[in-house]
Amino acid sequence: MAKNAICLWYDKDAEAAAKFYVETFPDSAMGAIIRAPGNYPEGKQGDVLVVEFTVAGVSCVGLNGGPVFKHNEAFSFQIYTADQEETDRYWNAIVGNGGQESECGWCKDKWGVSWQITPRTLMEALRAGGGEAKRAFDAMMTMQKIDVARIEAARRG
């Protein structure tokens, strides 16, 4: 068990979400599935209550806590990608599995968890500062899924 883990609240689909993440992202794994030892407000004894899993090396816990709390953009996973192929693969997996596109490399999975699918070239441009950062930033602001070729062209000016 990790010393620290991100806890994600789900209505009732923590196990399905964890399995999707593990199938989608490398360096991910399923951990323990803990069933409720008794009835609780949103479920009954024996229901999946907690799922331990790792997403891209990050320890997580999925809690089936019911419909009270919803995910929002205040929390997101940021996945750095090497190229357009990797960017497309993750983006298409999330959006194509009932998720939705957003702006500037953000999308949401079907459970409402936000993801930033971010090519490394974009972050490198932003770190460079000056005109290169401004051009890459301006290009990014016009995109949903990040277009690596357009970011690289913007970097060059």
Side-chain angles (χ1 to χ4, degrees):
M1 179 180 286
K3 184 174 182 83
N4 188 13
I6 294 170
C7 183
L8 298 165
W9 183 291
Y10 295 87
D11 182 357
K12 60 184 177 287
D13 293 330
E15 185 176 7
K19 285 180 179 177
F20 172 75
Y21 305 148
V22 166
E23 291 170 1
T24 302
F25 299 101
D27 195 22
S28 300
M30 291 293 293
I33 297 174
I34 301 168
R35 297 189 177 276
N39 294 339
Y40 61 105
E42 299 301 332
K44 61 186 185 320
Q45 181 177 352
D47 287 351
V48 173
L49 180 63
V50 173
V51 178
E52 295 173 347
F53 58 100
T54 302
V55 176
V58 176
S59 295
C60 299
V61 172
L63 171 66
N64 282 329
V68 177
F69 299 111
K70 304 290 183 204
H71 297 286
N72 66 52
E73 290 79 4
F75 171 86
S76 64
F77 283 100
Q78 187 161 14
I79 304 293
Y80 296 111
T81 59
D83 53 29
Q84 192 66 54
E85 179 184 353
E86 189 177 23
T87 300
D88 291 347
R89 182 171 62 249
Y90 298 146
W91 182 275
N92 294 340
I94 292 167
V95 172
N97 188 46
Q100 64 186 65
E101 296 181 335
S102 189
E103 305 298 320
C104 303
W106 290 63
C107 57
K108 282 187 182 181
D109 66 30
K110 74 179 183 178
W111 300 281
V113 175
S114 292
W115 296 82
Q116 295 180 64
I117 309 303
T118 309
R120 291 184 188 281
T121 190
L122 173 60
M123 295 307 295
E124 291 164 1
L126 296 176
R127 281 188 208 101
E132 180 179 343
K134 175 77 168 103
R135 291 187 305 272
F137 180 80
D138 289 347
M140 176 202 68
M141 293 299 293
T142 68
M143 300 176 191
Q144 288 183 305
K145 177 176 60 176
I146 302 300
D147 181 325
V148 171
R150 285 182 50 211
I151 294 296
E152 290 175 346
R155 290 183 75 178
R156 290 187 301 273

